[in-house]
Amino acid sequence: LAACLATAAVARTESGSMAKATTIKEALAKWEEKSGEKAAEAVEVKLYGQVPPIEKMDASLSTLSNCEKLSLSTNCIEKIANLNGLKKLTILSLGRNNIKNLNGLEAVGETLEELWISYNLIEKLKGIHAMRKLRVLYMSNNLVKDWAEFSKLADLPNLVDLVFVGNPIEEKYSSEGSWVEEATKRLTRLKKLDGVPVIKQVDEEAED
């Protein structure tokens, strides 16, 4: 939210009045001009930190049929939407927005391997189960506060790398010294948690 307000403040200062949000279509036009690429053919598209910020993921996103990596971080987006046309998307970056839930991600559930969505306002993980191929989830500094929500991540068969630092549940259990143990007990496939490799406890029978 702070990033969103700061970006909006810059836009206001530059224009002298409250600037209208940048649309996806406008952002794509700017990106094409800067990169020299056609958005419809590009494998990687960067629309982060727009001034004024993007507020809506509108239907113009459907033109990105060849896109494998899309960055929309540091804007003022509240809802994930209009990803249906991105049939090749494997990495989606939505950090530093105002996103409150994961609705809309199911559209890329068959292809998405990495979701970067730190610094948002997400409390519930409803719908995460649709992300069957997700390997990497960077979701620090959100609002998840209970194990019932966290445990929904166990529905992701390929998740091996999770960053969850800065969520209320992580802060509570880290302060008690039990976060890593409790988190990895629920997500047994994890290889990395909060940037640190997960060391599996070898049971005594296996050692003998």
Side-chain angles (χ1 to χ4, degrees):
L1 185 60
C4 175
L5 291 172
T7 315
V10 170
R12 190 161 56 240
T13 307
E14 288 180 357
S15 65
S17 60
M18 191 58 201
K20 218 169 61 185
T22 299
T23 65
I24 296 287
K25 189 175 182 179
E26 290 165 346
L28 284 173
K30 272 199 278 184
W31 179 83
E32 284 184 332
E33 191 180 335
K34 188 177 174 183
S35 68
E37 293 185 66
K38 285 192 169 71
E41 298 167 6
V43 172
E44 181 175 355
V45 177
K46 300 174 181 177
L47 305 178
Y48 56 78
Q50 297 293 306
V51 179
I54 294 167
E55 292 179 2
K56 287 185 178 170
M57 293 174 65
D58 63 43
S60 298
L61 285 172
S62 63
T63 59
L64 305 178
S65 54
N66 207 42
C67 184
E68 295 175 16
K69 181 179 179 181
L70 172 63
S71 177
L72 285 161
S73 56
T74 316
N75 281 292
C76 290
I77 295 162
E78 293 188 5
K79 290 180 181 172
I80 299 168
N82 289 300
L83 292 173
N84 306 60
L86 283 77
K87 302 295 185 194
K88 297 182 179 180
L89 195 67
T90 57
I91 301 175
L92 177 60
S93 172
L94 285 167
R96 298 183 187 276
N97 278 287
N98 294 334
I99 295 165
K100 297 177 179 69
N101 59 56
L102 300 174
N103 295 346
L105 273 182
E106 64 281 351
V108 288
E110 293 301 312
T111 59
L112 202 69
E113 295 178 11
E114 299 191 19
L115 176 62
W116 308 350
I117 199 161
S118 296
Y119 293 93
N120 276 285
L121 306 169
I122 298 163
E123 187 179 337
K124 307 284 187 191
L125 296 177
K126 185 182 176 188
I128 194 81
H129 66 277
M131 315 308 296
R132 306 304 295 168
K133 293 198 171 170
L134 203 68
R135 295 182 302 102
V136 174
L137 176 60
Y138 295 153
M139 200 180 158
S140 71
N141 299 281
N142 274 278
L143 302 175
V144 179
K145 59 179 188 284
D146 58 57
W147 288 120
E149 289 304 317
F150 182 85
S151 295
K152 289 176 183 172
L153 297 175
D155 292 337
L156 304 175
N158 295 301
L159 185 67
V160 292
D161 185 355
L162 174 68
V163 175
F164 220 72
V165 69
N167 280 273
I169 190 168
E170 178 275 330
E171 291 173 339
K172 178 179 190 291
Y173 286 91
S174 284
S175 70
E176 296 172 6
S178 59
W179 164 246
V180 173
E181 182 189 347
E182 291 295 332
T184 53
K185 185 168 72 180
R186 288 165 172 83
L187 304 180
T188 56
R189 301 181 195 93
L190 277 191
K191 291 182 178 169
K192 200 187 271 191
L193 176 63
D194 299 330
V196 180
V198 173
I199 287 122
K200 295 272 192 284
Q201 295 296 322
V202 181
D203 61 37
E204 287 176 19
E205 285 180 25
E207 285 181 337
D208 296 340

